[in-house]
Amino acid sequence: MPTYVSPAKVNLFLRILHRRQDGYHALASLMQTIGLCDLLTIEPFSHDRLTCSDASLPMDHSNLVVKALTLFRKKTGRTTPFSIHLDKKIPQQAGLGGGSSNAATTLWALNELCGSPATEIELKIWSAELGSDVPFFFSKGIAYCTGRGEIIQELAPMNEGPIRIIKPQCSLSTPLVYRNLHVDQLECRDPEQALASFQRGEPLYFNDLEAPAFLLIPELKKLKSELQVAGFSTVLMSGSGSSFFCLGEGTLPSQPVQCFDTQFVHRASTWF
Ligand code: C5P
């Protein structure tokens, strides 16, 4: 059965610039895929069927896999029914882009299984309708993302080696984190300079969404400090949280967390 890979991402830096007229925030972020992946098994079937290894994931029209299927049909006019099984490994509400990645993978797989009625460029453009982070997953692994996150500038691989993901038991909703953000109180870092610094091999890790996330769940700030004291050279919340990525060597915190030891990944041709 055709199985497609759907990788998670981390934001190596995330700068929020201002709130836009449409309610979204203008941002600039360096995003990178990691080896922590969901798997999607997709095949033509007698009727539409969606199953998932994680019973807590809603299977209705709010599910990004269902949204991707609906969008693909709307754009291409194809009506083939599909059986889709989602094997979930990426934690939800963790800032790791799991749902967005699943949406990108679903679009790509449906297109392949239907004989490629759309180009990959078309899929990438359409995917922005599903969420700001979705187009990033059509990149080869690292991209500088601007606009509301959907404008992608692909970059040459610049990260290698291991990365540890720590997901605490609490989760965070992206809209709630953005609602608690005070843009006027953010440090005015220049994202272009941050990008240039990464490209020179002098990485600058920061995330403007840490402040509102720590305001909402103060234990997250404590967890970050604990991880820093535990020896990791870099500890940063990914996206709107609640997970952290850690670089270097360190020990696990005392509180119960999920831990994923993985690595930065890039693709040569296709993930999926
Ligand atoms: O684009 P997406 O559906 O993933 O965004 C989820 C929510 O996150 C939006 O409804 C919005 O509240 C917030 N968001 C934002 N600015 C962005 C991306 C997301 O305010 N650039």
Coordinates of all heavy atoms in Angstrom, one line a residue, residues 23-27 100 130-133 147-149 174-175 178, ligand 1:
G23 N -5.9 40.3 10.3 CA -5.9 39.6 11.6 C -4.7 38.6 11.8 O -4.4 38.3 12.9
Y24 N -4.1 38.2 10.7 CA -2.9 37.4 10.8 C -1.7 38.3 11.2 O -1.8 39.6 11.1 CB -2.6 36.8 9.4 CG -3.4 35.6 9.1 CD1 -4.6 35.7 8.4 CD2 -3.0 34.3 9.5 CE1 -5.4 34.6 8.1 CE2 -3.8 33.2 9.2 CZ -5.0 33.3 8.5 OH -5.7 32.2 8.3
H25 N -0.6 37.7 11.5 CA 0.6 38.5 11.8 C 1.7 38.3 10.7 O 1.9 37.2 10.3 CB 1.2 38.0 13.2 CG 0.3 38.4 14.3 ND1 -0.9 37.7 14.6 CD2 0.4 39.4 15.2 CE1 -1.5 38.3 15.7 NE2 -0.7 39.3 16.0
A26 N 2.3 39.4 10.4 CA 3.4 39.3 9.4 C 4.6 38.8 10.2 O 4.9 39.2 11.3 CB 3.7 40.7 8.9
L27 N 5.2 37.8 9.7 CA 6.3 37.1 10.4 C 7.5 36.9 9.5 O 7.4 37.0 8.2 CB 5.9 35.9 11.1 CG 5.3 34.7 10.2 CD1 6.3 33.9 9.5 CD2 4.4 33.8 11.1
S100 N -0.1 20.7 9.5 CA 0.2 21.3 8.3 C 1.0 20.4 7.3 O 0.7 20.3 6.1 CB 1.1 22.6 8.5 OG 0.4 23.5 9.3
L130 N -4.9 26.2 3.1 CA -5.1 25.2 4.3 C -4.5 25.7 5.6 O -4.9 25.3 6.6 CB -4.6 23.8 3.9 CG -5.3 23.2 2.7 CD1 -4.5 21.9 2.3 CD2 -6.7 22.9 3.0
G131 N -3.5 26.6 5.5 CA -2.8 27.1 6.7 C -1.5 27.7 6.3 O -0.9 27.4 5.2
S132 N -1.1 28.7 7.1 CA 0.1 29.5 6.8 C 1.4 28.6 6.7 O 2.3 29.0 5.9 CB 0.3 30.5 7.9 OG -0.9 31.2 8.1
D133 N 1.5 27.5 7.4 CA 2.7 26.7 7.4 C 2.7 25.7 6.4 O 3.8 25.0 6.2 CB 2.8 26.0 8.8 CG 3.3 26.8 9.9 OD1 3.6 28.0 9.7 OD2 3.3 26.4 11.1
G147 N 5.7 36.8 4.9 CA 4.2 37.0 4.8 C 3.5 36.5 6.1 O 4.0 36.8 7.2
R148 N 2.5 35.7 6.0 CA 1.9 35.1 7.2 C 2.6 33.7 7.5 O 2.2 33.0 8.3 CB 0.4 35.0 7.2 CG -0.1 34.2 6.0 CD -1.7 34.2 6.0 NE -2.2 33.6 4.8 CZ -2.4 32.3 4.6 NH1 -2.2 31.4 5.6 NH2 -2.9 31.8 3.5
G149 N 3.6 33.4 6.7 CA 4.4 32.2 6.8 C 4.4 31.4 5.5 O 5.1 30.4 5.3
T174 N -2.6 27.6 18.8 CA -1.9 28.7 18.0 C -2.7 30.1 18.1 O -2.1 31.1 18.5 CB -1.7 28.3 16.6 OG1 -0.9 27.1 16.6 CG2 -0.9 29.4 15.8
P175 N -4.0 30.1 17.8 CA -4.7 31.4 17.9 C -4.6 32.0 19.3 O -4.5 33.2 19.4 CB -6.2 31.0 17.5 CG -6.1 29.7 16.8 CD -4.9 29.0 17.3
Y178 N -1.2 33.7 19.7 CA -1.2 35.0 19.0 C -2.0 36.0 19.7 O -1.6 37.2 19.7 CB -1.6 34.8 17.5 CG -0.5 34.3 16.6 CD1 -0.4 33.0 16.2 CD2 0.4 35.3 16.1 CE1 0.7 32.6 15.4 CE2 1.4 34.9 15.3 CZ 1.5 33.5 14.9 OH 2.6 33.2 14.0
Ligands
C5P1 O1 -2.7 29.9 9.1 P1 -3.2 29.0 10.2 O2 -4.6 28.5 10.0 O3 -2.3 27.9 10.6 O4 -3.3 30.0 11.5 C1 -3.9 29.6 12.7 C2 -4.1 30.8 13.5 O5 -2.9 31.3 14.0 C3 -4.8 32.0 12.8 O6 -6.2 31.9 12.8 C4 -4.2 33.2 13.5 O7 -5.0 33.3 14.7 C5 -2.9 32.8 13.9 N1 -1.8 33.2 13.0 C6 -1.5 34.5 12.9 N2 -0.5 34.9 12.1 C7 0.2 34.1 11.3 C8 -0.2 32.7 11.3 C9 -1.2 32.3 12.2 O8 -2.0 35.4 13.7 N3 1.1 34.5 10.5

